[in-house]
Amino acid sequence: VTYRDLLSEYNLSRFERLEILSFVSGKSKADIIRDIIENCPDGIANRAREIAERRQVGEPLAYILGEWDFYGLRLKITPDVLIPRVDSEELVSAVLDKVIDKNAELEILDLCSGSGCLGLALLSKLPNASLTAVDISEAALELARQNSEILGFSDRVKTITADVLRLPVERFFNAQFSILISNPPYVTASEMKNLDRSVADYEPHIALFGGEDGLDFYRAIKKHWSALVVHDGIIGLECGFAQGETVKKIFDGKAIVIATGG
Ligand SMILES: C[S@@+](CC[C@H](N)C(=O)[O-])C[C@H]1O[C@@H](n2cnc3c(N)ncnc32)[C@H](O)[C@@H]1O
């Protein structure tokens, strides 16, 4: 069977088909497109079909493959963390846009860091910056450490287990950051009941629920964590599509706010 015809019986997007074919064959997506009329070896074809079967019943592709692209980085992803969203790349770009000296020794704080995607993407463009990644999930931080290692950023990354809804733990007492970035849980109580199956059945609920009105983390970040940012520092936040104005107000108009999802 040719790469073009393989998986044609499954209801997958072209993007997903390419992701799967690239993963099982070890070829880049560009090479798959180039070789699209070549025959695919049986073993590889069978692995592709197994993945397509799982995808077909709803499992997110990022969890099946165990890796996913974010901001040009290939990150390791497990069901312990949210799958990095394309929308969040916009937050990274908006924050980078505000950084005047890209070679400065910047300290970055990524709150509710999950896979580490936001902070690691910043590190990939800021060669002398260091990252402190904070999450309540030890499994998420372990993954963030693995991703730092894979990308060669280990010596620039520190992980700290902490509850962002509470006051910073002792290790932060003398800390100062030039950039605070966060995509915290922001789903409201009522939205939690109507989540898309693909999210509700597979992604960690602790990564989603942001309290009754979805804004608990923004209030806590403002109250407890924003004081750790230097006076001309950058605060960049992602929130739900209907929360943008409220989150801007919580931060007195002094944060970059990217409202996404919906
Ligand atoms: C929406 S996910 C975002 C992950 C990552 N920043 C991203 O953009 O893909 C939120 C993260 O917050 C973490 N989290 C949930 N409650 C927390 C808390 N009280 N303190 C710190 N982190 C928390 C979850 O473990 C999850 O990794």
Side-chain angles (χ1 to χ4, degrees):
V1 60
T2 62
Y3 287 99
R4 188 177 48 205
D5 293 339
L6 177 60
L7 305 185
S8 58
E9 68 271 37
Y10 297 94
N11 181 23
L12 299 168
S13 67
R14 178 170 185 271
F15 167 78
E16 288 183 312
R17 269 212 309 272
L18 270 178
E19 276 286 333
I20 296 173
L21 294 178
S22 161
F23 182 81
V24 295
S25 68
K27 294 176 189 244
S28 71
K29 285 172 213 151
D31 286 352
I32 293 284
I33 294 167
R34 187 197 59 202
D35 300 341
I36 202 83
I37 54 170
E38 284 183 13
N39 276 321
C40 174
D42 284 349
I44 290 177
N46 287 335
R47 278 196 70 203
R49 289 188 193 102
E50 278 165 31
I51 292 173
E53 292 287 342
R54 285 169 68 183
R55 176 68 200 108
Q56 197 86 316
V57 292
E59 195 173 349
L61 196 51
Y63 292 146
I64 304 173
L65 304 183
E67 51 184 60
W68 206 239
D69 283 327
F70 182 77
Y71 215 79
L73 307 174
R74 193 71 174 169
L75 297 177
K76 193 170 166 191
I77 296 300
T78 70
D80 291 318
V81 298
L82 195 84
I83 299 164
R85 303 295 203 267
V86 172
D87 285 338
S88 306
E89 296 183 343
E90 197 184 327
L91 174 61
V92 175
S93 294
V95 167
L96 281 171
D97 208 41
K98 293 271 180 196
V99 177
I100 297 161
D101 179 4
K102 303 273 192 291
N103 291 310
E105 291 183 9
L106 304 165
E107 295 286 340
I108 303 165
L109 177 63
D110 182 351
L111 296 176
C112 302
S113 54
S115 61
C117 58
L118 299 174
L120 294 171
L122 289 175
L123 286 189
S124 74
K125 300 289 177 192
L126 302 170
N128 299 310
S130 304
L131 169 68
T132 300
V134 176
D135 204 289
I136 203 166
S137 156
E138 192 41 58
L141 290 175
E142 170 55 28
L143 191 71
R145 284 192 291 272
Q146 288 180 25
N147 277 320
S148 313
E149 180 97 40
I150 293 164
L151 298 168
F153 297 157
S154 290
D155 53 342
R156 295 200 278 150
V157 177
K158 206 159 54 180
T159 59
I160 298 181
T161 315
D163 183 348
V164 168
L165 294 174
R166 294 171 181 266
L167 281 165
V169 292
E170 214 175 316
R171 284 179 67 187
F172 285 101
F173 285 177
N174 291 311
Q176 286 272 279
F177 297 93
S178 354
I179 299 175
L180 185 166
I181 195 165
S182 183
N183 175 23
Y186 58 65
V187 180
T188 68
S190 72
E191 286 166 350
M192 283 302 289
K193 298 189 193 110
N194 299 307
L195 285 176
D196 226 52
R197 286 274 313 271
S198 66
V199 175
D201 292 355
Y202 296 97
E203 301 206 72
H205 286 201
I206 192 184
L208 303 172
F209 184 52
E212 188 59 35
D213 66 355
L215 299 169
D216 284 1
F217 284 87
Y218 304 96
R219 285 185 288 258
I221 290 171
K222 169 67 181 157
K223 192 164 169 214
H224 301 318
W225 300 83
S226 60
L228 301 179
V229 180
V230 297
H231 83 278
D232 57 349
I234 301 165
I235 298 182
L237 305 163
E238 185 172 330
C239 65
F241 70 103
Q243 297 168 333
E245 288 313 310
T246 318
V247 173
K248 278 182 196 158
K249 268 194 211 116
I250 293 174
F251 285 83
D252 309 316
K254 288 179 189 134
I256 299 168
V257 176
I258 302 286
T260 62

